[in-house]
């Protein structure tokens, strides 16, 4: 494709590919330098035919240089033009917690309705009921996003639901996607190492609703959260429709949630009519996730009554409050909870299902928001009966120091650095009627230590221990 077909310029040189990573540049590629002008020379050495950069970049180059006010967003739009296709109906969901479950639920519902639907996010790319194709990020880079959207379109998938992380939104990795529906779950302590302030974190999320949700598109918003009015205002100011869910919701109103042995019974007002659902998921937060998913699926498909028929048949996403095993008469759950809010929610969700003691195994990641470590320690100390503090992707930080920061606020915690040992020890103490939550890693299959990734799966460790019983 010619450069002047991708960008407003007079250059008609042929562009054979594009990347924001200078190491991936090949002869004939366009290099997007939104976050790496220092790599322009390397990109040109590798064969870049043109460079896209911000207006503040000022240097003479041996190849065409195109400047824009927002090079990250422009690059994403260029990627969309280059690949030239996406499913007809694309939705997004953002928020601190719940994105993966909601995206998975929407895909499940649409698939049960007989539609070809896919989801993209933390679990990877999932087409219908096929196994996931892994992805290193919740929101892949702009080129990967557009390439996968084009492939889905070519394969006849009219529906896609995407998780959109705050990093992915701030960096406009989905800047070229046309979203017709967007959901918002909640906003709690996370990623402040990157965003620095809570306001910045919220504004990154709002990019989805202000800029990327198409005009006339629909926002599905949690009416129970503190920032609800700010999000609604941002939507209405930019010509978006709003429907709400939750205890204070209008279109999807939660009236009551009753815990059951293997799930819960929900009483709702669903677009103005009373509805009772029995879902195989524990916890009020999962009830909220289901409501958001129902809202997104109803608007995306245009068939709200049919969507409702399949709500009781959804199952939990991998590593999201997932019953991994029963051991000595106790239930062992694996959950991705790695923020204070998520840990509190999962403990409270399973407390009504716990006859005796509630165990928790958890840690905190290295090279990430350190402020949440004592917060999570205090939550576990206050809400759980038996606590094991262990490692969870220490990355390049000293793992002992991370656990110490947790333990300072968790005096009842038992410090066992090796995660496999912590899981085995916790399971060895279980008795009938107990519940064990292994939190933090969920679906992950690796442990990041000193810059390396070592194979590790909470699921495998639980099954190993269960098999030796």
């Amino acid at each position: 494709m010619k450069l002047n077909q991708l960008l407003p310029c007079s250059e008609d040189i042929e562009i054979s590919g594009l990347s924001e990573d200078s190491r991936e540049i090949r002869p004939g590629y366009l290099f997007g330098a939104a976050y790496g002008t220092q790599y322009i020379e390397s990109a040109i050495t590798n064969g870049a035919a043109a460079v896209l950069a911000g207006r503040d970049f000022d240097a003479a180059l041996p190849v065409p240089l195109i400047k824009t006010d927002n090079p990250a967003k422009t690059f994403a739009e260029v990627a969309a033009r280059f690949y030239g296709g996406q499913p007809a109906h694309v939705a997004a969901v953002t928020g601190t917690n719940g994105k993966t479950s909601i995206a998975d639920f929407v895909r499940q519902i649409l698939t049960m309705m007989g539609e070809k639907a896919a989801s993209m996010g933390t679990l990877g790319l999932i087409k219908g009921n096929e196994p996931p194709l892994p992805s290193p990020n919740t929101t892949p880079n702009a080129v990967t996003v557009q390439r996968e959207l084009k492939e889905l379109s070519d394969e006849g998938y009219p529906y896609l639901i995407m998780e959109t992380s705050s990093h992915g939104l701030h960096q406009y990795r989905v800047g070229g996607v046309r979203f017709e529906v967007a959901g918002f779950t909640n906003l709690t302590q996370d990623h402040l190492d990157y965003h620095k302030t809570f306001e910045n974190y919220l504004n990154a999320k709002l990019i989805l609703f202000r800029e990327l949700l198409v005009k006339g598109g629909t926002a599905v918003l949690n009416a129970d959260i503190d920032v609800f009015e700010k999000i609604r205002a941002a939507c209405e100011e930019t010509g978006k429709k709003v429907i709400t869910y939750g205890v204070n919701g209008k279109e999807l109103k939660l009236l009551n949630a009753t815990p059951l042995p293997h799930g819960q019974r929900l009483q709702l007002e669903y677009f103005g009519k009373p509805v009772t659902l029995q879902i195989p998921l524990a916890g009020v937060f999962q009830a909220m996730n289901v409501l958001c998913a129902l809202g997104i699926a109803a608007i995306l498909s245009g068939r709200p009554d049919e969507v409702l028929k399949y709500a009781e048949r959804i199952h939990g996403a991998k590593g999201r409050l997932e019953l991994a095993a029963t051991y000595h008469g106790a239930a062992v759950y694996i959950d991705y909870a790695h923020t204070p809010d998520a840990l509190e929610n999962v403990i409270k969700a399973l407390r009504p299902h716990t006859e005796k003691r509630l165990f928790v195994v958890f840690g905190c990641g290295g090279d990430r928001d350190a402020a949440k470590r004592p917060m999570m320690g205090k939550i576990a100390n206050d809400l759980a009966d038996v606590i094991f503090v262990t490692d969870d992707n220490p990355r390049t930080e000293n793992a002992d120091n991370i656990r110490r920061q947790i333990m300072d606020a968790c005096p009842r915690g038992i410090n066992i650095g090796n995660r496999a040992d912590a899981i085995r020890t916790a399971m060895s103490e279980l008795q009938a009627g107990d519940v064990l939550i292994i939190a933090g890693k969920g679906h992950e299959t690796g442990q990041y230590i000193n810059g390396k990734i070592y194979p590790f799966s909470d699921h495998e460790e639980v099954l190993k221990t269960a098999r030796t019983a």
Side-chain angles (χ1 to χ4, degrees), residues 34-340:
Y35 296 100
T37 55
Q38 69 270 33
Y39 300 112
I40 289 177
E41 183 178 349
S42 174
I44 293 173
T45 299
N46 287 339
V51 172
L52 173 66
R55 295 199 185 279
D56 57 349
F57 178 73
D58 189 19
L61 299 179
V63 299
L65 170 64
I66 298 91
K67 299 182 181 183
T68 71
D69 293 326
N70 188 336
K73 184 177 182 182
T74 301
F75 182 81
E77 292 168 345
V78 167
R81 293 187 198 107
F82 185 84
Y83 285 98
Q86 70 168 50
H89 307 287
V90 183
V93 58
T94 196
T96 306
N97 303 308
K99 298 185 295 296
T100 300
S101 290
I102 292 166
D104 206 66
F105 295 163
V106 173
R107 177 187 52 76
Q108 289 181 47
I109 290 169
L110 292 172
T111 301
M112 286 187 285
M113 290 169 64
E115 299 291 350
K116 291 190 72 172
S119 59
M120 184 186 296
T122 306
L123 299 179
L125 175 62
I126 305 177
K127 303 174 183 180
N129 294 318
E130 295 179 11
L133 303 171
S135 171
N137 301 104
T138 297
T139 309
N141 64 55
V143 172
T144 301
V145 166
Q146 293 300 330
R147 184 177 62 246
E148 292 185 344
L149 263 61
K150 171 63 171 172
E151 290 173 358
L152 288 170
S153 177
D154 289 347
E155 292 171 13
Y157 281 84
Y159 292 99
L160 172 66
I161 172 72
M162 298 179 65
E163 296 180 55
T164 51
S165 67
S166 59
H167 294 74
L169 288 166
H170 183 254
Q171 296 170 13
Y172 285 92
R173 298 178 203 164
V174 291
V177 184
R178 300 184 305 278
F179 295 109
E180 62 181 60
V181 184
F184 197 104
T185 62
N186 49 40
L187 199 73
T188 62
Q189 177 88 24
D190 202 16
H191 302 309
L192 296 191
D193 56 314
Y194 178 85
H195 297 290
K196 307 305 179 186
T197 69
F198 203 75
E199 184 178 9
N200 290 344
Y201 185 29
L202 173 59
N203 284 331
K205 297 290 191 184
L206 288 179
I207 289 171
L208 174 60
F209 300 90
R210 287 174 172 152
E211 302 181 44
L212 306 183
L213 180 61
V214 299
K215 191 169 184 178
T218 302
V220 182
L221 306 181
N222 183 345
D224 298 343
I225 58 177
D226 293 341
V227 294
F228 165 67
E229 290 298 342
K230 289 184 179 179
I231 305 168
R232 178 165 68 177
C235 292
E236 293 176 347
E237 288 166 4
T238 52
K240 318 298 164 56
K241 301 171 187 175
V242 172
I243 69 169
T244 59
Y245 69 95
V247 174
N248 296 303
K250 180 181 178 183
E251 288 78 10
L252 299 108
K253 185 177 183 64
L254 179 61
L255 302 175
N256 189 47
T258 304
L260 301 172
H262 299 289
Q264 56 188 313
R265 182 181 299 110
L266 308 181
Q267 290 178 287
L268 315 173
E269 282 184 13
Y270 181 76
F271 293 98
K273 64 182 181 182
V275 169
T276 299
L277 294 178
Q278 187 166 310
I279 59 173
L281 306 161
V284 173
F285 75 94
Q286 283 284 46
M288 294 290 281
N289 289 341
V290 169
L291 288 184
C292 185
L294 289 176
I296 292 173
I299 299 301
L300 200 64
S301 69
R303 291 137 60 189
D305 290 341
E306 190 175 350
V307 163
L308 197 61
K309 294 178 183 178
Y310 299 100
E312 295 186 331
R313 291 169 53 184
I314 60 176
H315 55 80
K318 182 76 170 177
R320 270 60 179 179
L321 206 59
E322 179 185 1
L323 180 61
T326 54
Y327 187 72
H328 294 168
V332 180
Y333 286 87
I334 292 176
D335 191 79
Y336 192 52
H338 59 279
T339 66

